[in-house]
Amino acid sequence: MSNYPLTKLNHDGTLLQGINSTYSDEYADNMCDLHLRSEYLDCEYGKTRKCYRLRAKNPHTVEMALRYDIRCPECNSGMLKQIGRCRNSHELGLYACPICEKRRNS
């Protein structure tokens, strides 16, 4: 799995962009305030879906997690759409990029 540290693109820090890195899971969890970790979900007809789990170093409430808008780290143009809920206060929502999914399915 890949880890993508998030950088702030606006003054209040709610618009984020993931950057590609070679960070290990342990390093990203300990050093990044916020980062995305890629995950693959099994879908119908034997297909897999690439998704991203938003992860936080410091505990977040659901309301805190929902305030972020995140650009796709793969295509850099699409905004990620939340497709799954928070697991706990550090493993936040599950996201997918509609633009990348459309490209993969066409």
Side-chain angles (χ1 to χ4, degrees):
M1 293 193 227
S2 300
N3 292 294
Y4 303 90
L6 294 169
T7 58
K8 297 175 184 177
L9 298 178
N10 63 354
H11 183 64
D12 61 354
T14 57
L15 180 59
L16 305 170
Q17 171 69 51
I19 55 171
N20 203 358
S21 75
T22 57
Y23 293 172
S24 68
D25 292 350
E26 182 180 0
Y27 185 83
D29 287 341
N30 290 323
M31 299 306 292
C32 300
D33 289 333
L34 288 169
H35 69 280
L36 295 171
R37 180 167 299 151
S38 62
E39 295 184 9
Y40 294 91
L41 299 178
D42 292 327
C43 296
E44 55 197 40
Y45 308 114
K47 293 185 177 184
T48 57
R49 183 180 194 184
K50 185 175 183 179
C51 303
Y52 303 94
R53 175 74 60 183
L54 178 60
R55 300 178 62 91
K57 182 178 177 181
N58 300 314
H60 276 56
T61 63
V62 173
E63 290 79 19
M64 291 167 69
L66 289 174
R67 74 178 193 187
Y68 300 116
D69 293 316
I70 307 168
R71 285 197 180 151
C72 177
E74 190 173 325
C75 70
N76 294 318
S77 60
M79 296 300 283
L80 296 181
K81 177 181 173 186
Q82 188 169 359
I83 60 168
R85 60 188 172 107
C86 299
R87 288 183 177 160
N88 56 48
S89 62
H90 296 280
E91 294 181 40
L92 308 176
L94 187 65
Y95 294 83
C97 177
I99 293 173
C100 292
E101 286 191 342
K102 190 181 288 187
R103 211 177 286 152
R104 279 189 206 101
N105 294 330
S106 55

